[in-house]
């Protein structure tokens, strides 16, 4: 089969008409219809060529333009200087942060070592005489001592209700040995106050601990008072007529702001009923009533925690109170008590005019 015959066969298979057709006349018609103005335009290849030359000339112009080159160099220099300045400041801040972290770490270690050191130096050894020797060196002692205690979790050391009772019994023995007549124990939730069986357990634990310090035959007289409930519990050796060596007041958040609010409401009702005149309401009256409801104003307040937290302690009672706490301390330690008493003995209280 020849080539022409093969092509005709392909065309026939594609259903294409294989006869020749003269289109010369149609071409002439198309050529005559072309616009003469368009014939003067440059062909596409020459357009692309001229555009490329134009772009190269613009680029060369930009490169050799001194002002624009200076502006670009200036911007690059400013950007580089800003980046260098950022890294310098970042390095300085990082260096300061590292120094502060190292300082805080050494400070924490020093404070813990300081507490351990004083714990070894000042140790009571369950001896009232040793405690008395420590406080005899001081210029003065507080008449009312307040301590803020935290109710820890049961899993912690000295945690739970039993741990709280043990702490109170130790503070009672230390306070009696120092010769301080009033001890106030503040616990925010007031777990002991709301449970009479726990108060009985506390009374038993205190008497048992005092027997360890003073002996069974020389037990001092003490009383446990809950001002909010107007309830007094005497020690096993005490009677209501015997002289009290130590008064223990158990306080909670109820004795703080809520008591002041209740006192304000009561005075308002009395004033409305004309049972109390406005002239009778004074600071002295409020002070007298709050002392009756809460207790005396403490001279020294100790918080046995690493960060000072008054926990809504009665605000009226700490106007002139010396407050002490030791950073990094988490326990009720005798050394903390002695340190607080030493600070109190050297402080000067300015009541004002």
């Amino acid at each position: 089969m020849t080539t022409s015959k093969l092509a005709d066969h392909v065309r026939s298979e594609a259903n294409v008409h294989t006869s020749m057709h003269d289109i010369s006349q149609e071409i002439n018609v198309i050529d005559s219809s072309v616009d003469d103005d368009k014939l003067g335009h440059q062909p596409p290849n020459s357009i692309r060529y001229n555009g490329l030359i134009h772009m190269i000339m613009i680029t060369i112009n930009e490169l050799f333009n001194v002002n624009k080159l200076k502006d670009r160099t200036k911007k690059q220099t400013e950007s580089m200087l800003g980046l260098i300045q950022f890294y310098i400041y970042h390095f300085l801040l990082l260096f300061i942060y590292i120094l502060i972290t190292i300082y805080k770490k050494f400070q924490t270690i020093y404070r813990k070592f300081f507490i351990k050191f004083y714990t070894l130096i000042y140790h009571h050894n369950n001896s009232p005489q040793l405690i008395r020797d420590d406080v005899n060196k001081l210029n003065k002692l507080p008449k009312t001592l307040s301590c803020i205690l935290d109710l820890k979790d049961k899993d912690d050391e000295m945690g739970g209700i039993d741990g709280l009772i043990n702490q109170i019994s130790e503070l009672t023995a230390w306070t009696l040995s120092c010769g301080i007549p009033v001890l106030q124990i503040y616990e925010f939730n007031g777990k002991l106050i709301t449970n009479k069986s726990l108060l009985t357990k506390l009374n038993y634990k205190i008497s048992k601990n005092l027997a360890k310090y003073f002996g069974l035959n020389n037990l001092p007289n003490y009383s446990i008072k809950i001002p909010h409930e107007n309830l007094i519990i005497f020690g096993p050796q005490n009677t209501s007529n015997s002289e009290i060596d130590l008064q223990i007041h158990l306080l909670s958040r109820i004795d703080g702001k809520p008591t002041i609010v209740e006192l304000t409401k009561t005075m308002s009702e009395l004033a409305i009923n004309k049972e109390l005149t406005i002239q009778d309401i004074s600071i002295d009256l409020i002070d007298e009533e709050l002392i009756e409801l809460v207790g005396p104003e403490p001279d020294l307040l100790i918080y046995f925690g690493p960060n000072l937290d008054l926990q809504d302690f009665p605000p009226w009672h700490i106007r002139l109170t010396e407050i002490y706490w030791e950073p990094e301390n988490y326990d009720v330690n005798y050394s903390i008590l002695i340190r607080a008493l030493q600070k109190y003995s050297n402080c000067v209280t300015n009541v004002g005019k």
Side-chain angles (χ1 to χ4, degrees):
M1 183 181 292
T2 62
T3 305
S4 59
K5 293 295 182 179
L6 181 62
D8 292 339
H9 179 72
V10 172
R11 292 190 185 99
S12 64
E13 289 292 332
N15 296 322
V16 179
H17 183 67
T18 58
S19 61
M20 299 298 291
H21 180 65
D22 187 6
I23 61 171
S24 57
Q25 293 180 356
E26 296 177 4
I27 293 174
N28 292 330
V29 174
I30 295 173
D31 289 342
S32 62
S33 64
V34 175
D35 191 3
D36 294 337
D37 295 336
K38 293 182 180 180
L39 295 176
H41 288 192
Q42 297 176 347
N45 288 338
S46 63
I47 292 175
R48 288 198 295 269
Y49 181 73
N50 289 339
L52 180 62
I53 293 175
H54 182 66
M55 291 176 61
I56 291 172
M57 293 301 294
I58 292 175
T59 305
I60 294 172
N61 221 359
E62 290 287 336
L63 290 174
F64 288 95
N65 192 328
V66 179
N67 293 329
K68 291 185 177 180
L69 184 61
K70 286 182 178 179
D71 292 341
R72 188 183 299 109
T73 307
K74 184 178 179 181
K75 290 180 180 179
Q76 291 177 354
T77 305
E78 290 178 353
S79 177
M80 184 63 67
L81 289 176
L83 186 63
I84 294 173
Q85 190 178 24
F86 167 77
Y87 280 110
I88 290 174
Y89 289 157
H90 182 74
F91 175 77
L92 287 176
L93 290 175
L94 185 62
F95 180 72
I96 293 172
Y97 172 76
I98 293 173
L99 285 181
I100 293 175
T101 303
I102 295 174
Y103 170 74
K104 288 292 185 181
K105 190 64 177 178
F106 275 102
Q107 190 180 46
T108 301
I109 295 173
Y110 169 76
R111 286 171 175 171
K112 289 183 178 180
F113 174 79
F114 181 79
I115 294 173
K116 292 291 184 182
F117 176 74
Y118 266 90
T119 302
L120 294 175
I121 292 179
Y122 294 101
H123 197 276
H124 51 80
N125 291 323
N126 299 334
S127 173
Q129 186 59 42
L130 291 177
I131 299 175
R132 178 64 66 178
D133 292 339
D134 291 335
V135 298
N136 283 338
K137 304 173 185 177
L138 306 179
N139 298 325
K140 61 179 180 179
L141 289 173
K143 295 181 180 179
T144 302
L145 173 65
S146 291
C147 298
I148 299 178
L149 302 182
D150 293 325
L151 181 61
K152 301 179 181 179
D153 295 334
K154 294 181 179 180
D155 298 333
D156 296 338
E157 184 179 359
M158 297 296 291
I161 295 295
D162 293 335
L164 182 64
I165 291 175
N166 289 331
Q167 291 174 352
I168 295 175
S169 64
E170 286 293 321
L171 285 170
T172 301
W174 301 341
T175 306
L176 278 167
S177 301
C178 291
I180 300 173
V182 180
L183 172 64
Q184 293 178 341
I185 301 296
Y186 181 86
E187 194 272 312
F188 179 80
N189 297 304
K191 293 294 184 179
L192 297 177
I193 297 175
T194 56
N195 195 323
K196 299 296 177 63
S197 61
L198 292 178
L199 289 175
T200 303
K201 185 176 181 179
L202 174 64
N203 191 16
Y204 170 77
K205 183 63 179 180
I206 290 175
S207 62
K208 183 179 179 180
N209 195 47
L210 291 180
K212 182 172 63 176
Y213 275 81
F214 297 93
L216 289 173
N217 298 326
N218 297 315
L219 283 178
N221 297 326
Y222 67 90
S223 64
I224 302 174
K225 183 177 182 180
I226 297 92
H228 185 74
E229 301 288 340
N230 196 20
L231 177 65
I232 298 178
I233 301 174
F234 294 97
Q237 303 290 335
N238 303 48
T239 61
S240 59
N241 296 325
S242 61
E243 184 179 354
I244 302 299
D245 298 314
L246 177 65
Q247 296 180 12
I248 305 172
H249 294 192
L250 300 181
L251 306 177
S252 66
R253 64 178 183 85
I254 301 176
D255 300 292
K257 296 176 184 178
T259 298
I260 297 177
V261 172
E262 289 298 328
L263 178 61
T264 304
K265 290 181 179 179
T266 302
M267 289 191 298
S268 300
E269 292 174 359
L270 292 175
I272 292 173
N273 296 331
K274 296 182 180 181
E275 298 179 17
L276 184 68
T277 61
I278 298 178
Q279 289 75 15
D280 294 333
I281 300 175
S282 62
I283 294 178
D284 294 334
L285 175 64
I286 297 174
D287 185 62
E288 182 180 351
E289 293 298 327
L290 286 176
I291 290 176
E292 178 67 25
L293 292 171
V294 180
E297 182 177 349
D299 300 311
L300 175 63
L301 174 63
I302 305 175
Y303 176 61
F304 293 94
N307 301 305
L308 181 60
D309 185 7
L310 296 180
Q311 302 180 9
D312 289 341
F313 190 89
W316 185 271
H317 290 68
I318 53 176
R319 296 169 295 172
L320 301 173
T321 301
E322 188 72 21
I323 301 175
Y324 182 84
W325 85 100
E326 192 70 50
E328 306 303 330
N329 174 65
Y330 294 88
D331 302 320
V332 178
N333 293 329
Y334 172 72
S335 59
I336 303 299
L337 174 65
I338 290 298
R339 287 282 297 166
L341 293 176
Q342 290 174 349
K343 181 180 179 181
Y344 174 79
S345 66
N346 296 324
C347 73
V348 178
T349 304
N350 297 319
V351 180
K353 297 181 181 180

